[in-house]
Amino acid sequence: QKEVEQDPGPLSVPEGAIVSLNCTYSNSAFQYFMWYRQYSRKGPELLMYTYSSGNKEDGRFTAQVDKSSKYISLFIRDSQPSDSATYLCAMMSLWAGNMLTFGGGTRLMVKP
Amino acid sequence: DSGVTQTPKHLITATGQRVTLRCSPRSGDLSVYWYQQSLDQGLQFLIQYYNGEERAKGNILERFSAQQFPDLHSELNLSSLELGDSALYFCASSVGADPNQPQHFGDGTRLSIL
């Protein structure tokens, strides 16, 4: 079983919909949680960065971390066709250097 | 544009050969990280350097090695290449070595082994 699990999708939604992306993890030592967006033939682009549990909002994006359930989410409001990409969750513990452990990614398609 | 530059963008070579991938971090970043992305394994951490010194190591094969130079650019050397080494190789950089400093990725080098 992988340390970080993520539904690969694809997830197809109409433009303007609210998108919910999720990851579960098994390592309770993870303290830092990130969401990256990756377009085809491009590198991962950092979207959200959170420490420990709670919510963080940035524009149309909201990241939630529930450490008790080992579950993190990314919500995208008013989704746009330009949001179509693969979304990767990533996590880090204090005791593994700065090694990021990634989920497998969820492919999102927003249809006009 | 993340500010992390990787060259070449695409590399095609044969089994048994050796290649060098190059990464220039963002201006001011002292840490460089290397990751491998393949269809079956996803994105996996290989190695981290901080200000010229190796800082952390992941599941990096013995055939692979890296270094960070005084000007902070880094190179990843892959030798005795096998078909299974075909993947995207990403470099990331961060300001320092603290975990609260996010990593920013380049656009990768696509390695194809024929």
Side-chain angles (χ1 to χ4, degrees):
Chain A
Q1 186 183 2
K2 293 184 178 181
E3 276 190 294
V4 181
E5 297 281 357
Q6 191 175 3
D7 188 330
L11 178 61
S12 182
V13 301
E15 183 176 354
I18 297 175
V19 175
S20 173
L21 303 166
N22 311 295
C23 287
T24 59
Y25 62 95
S26 56
N27 187 348
S28 57
F30 287 139
Q31 296 274 3
Y32 298 90
F33 304 91
M34 285 133 274
W35 285 95
Y36 284 85
R37 176 175 64 194
Q38 186 174 21
Y39 291 114
S40 179
R41 299 188 177 278
K42 289 291 203 178
E45 172 194 2
L46 182 65
L47 287 176
M48 300 290 283
Y49 188 99
T50 55
Y51 171 71
S52 198
S53 286
N55 292 1
K56 184 175 182 180
E57 187 173 324
D58 184 1
R60 296 186 296 112
F61 299 93
T62 300
Q64 286 185 353
V65 175
D66 182 349
K67 289 191 70 181
S68 62
S69 302
K70 296 190 180 66
Y71 188 87
I72 71 170
S73 300
L74 177 70
F75 297 95
I76 307 174
R77 290 182 297 281
D78 188 25
S79 56
Q80 302 296 309
S82 59
D83 294 327
S84 299
T86 296
Y87 289 79
L88 298 151
C89 62
M91 307 179 187
M92 186 194 302
S93 75
L94 290 175
W95 295 279
N98 287 11
M99 178 183 79
L100 287 176
T101 301
F102 282 87
T106 298
R107 187 176 163 211
L108 172 67
M109 295 185 294
V110 181
K111 297 186 175 180
Chain B
D1 183 6
S2 68
V4 178
T5 303
Q6 290 188 248
T7 56
K9 292 190 187 305
H10 197 173
L11 202 47
I12 303 172
T13 188
T15 55
Q17 296 299 305
R18 173 189 170 93
V19 296
T20 297
L21 313 183
R22 182 188 169 100
C23 169
S24 294
R26 296 187 318 164
S27 177
D29 284 0
L30 299 179
S31 272
V32 169
Y33 311 79
W34 287 97
Y35 290 83
Q36 180 192 59
Q37 187 176 39
S38 62
L39 281 174
D40 55 342
Q41 296 291 327
L43 254 173
Q44 292 205 312
F45 170 76
L46 295 178
I47 197 164
Q48 176 199 1
Y49 278 82
Y50 172 72
N51 204 20
E53 301 290 327
E54 183 183 305
R55 189 71 175 224
K57 219 169 186 177
N59 294 327
I60 186 168
L61 299 172
E62 285 191 10
R63 300 184 285 108
F64 296 1
S65 64
Q67 53 184 330
Q68 186 179 26
F69 295 86
D71 67 353
L72 301 178
H73 92 272
S74 179
E75 293 181 356
L76 178 67
N77 300 295
L78 315 176
S79 61
S80 302
L81 288 167
E82 302 175 359
L83 292 176
D85 298 329
S86 294
L88 273 166
Y89 291 85
F90 287 104
C91 170
S93 71
S94 66
V95 173
D98 293 335
N100 63 350
Q101 293 164 355
Q103 297 176 28
H104 299 272
F105 284 74
D107 284 338
T109 293
R110 183 177 295 275
L111 177 63
S112 301
I113 312 298
L114 303 180

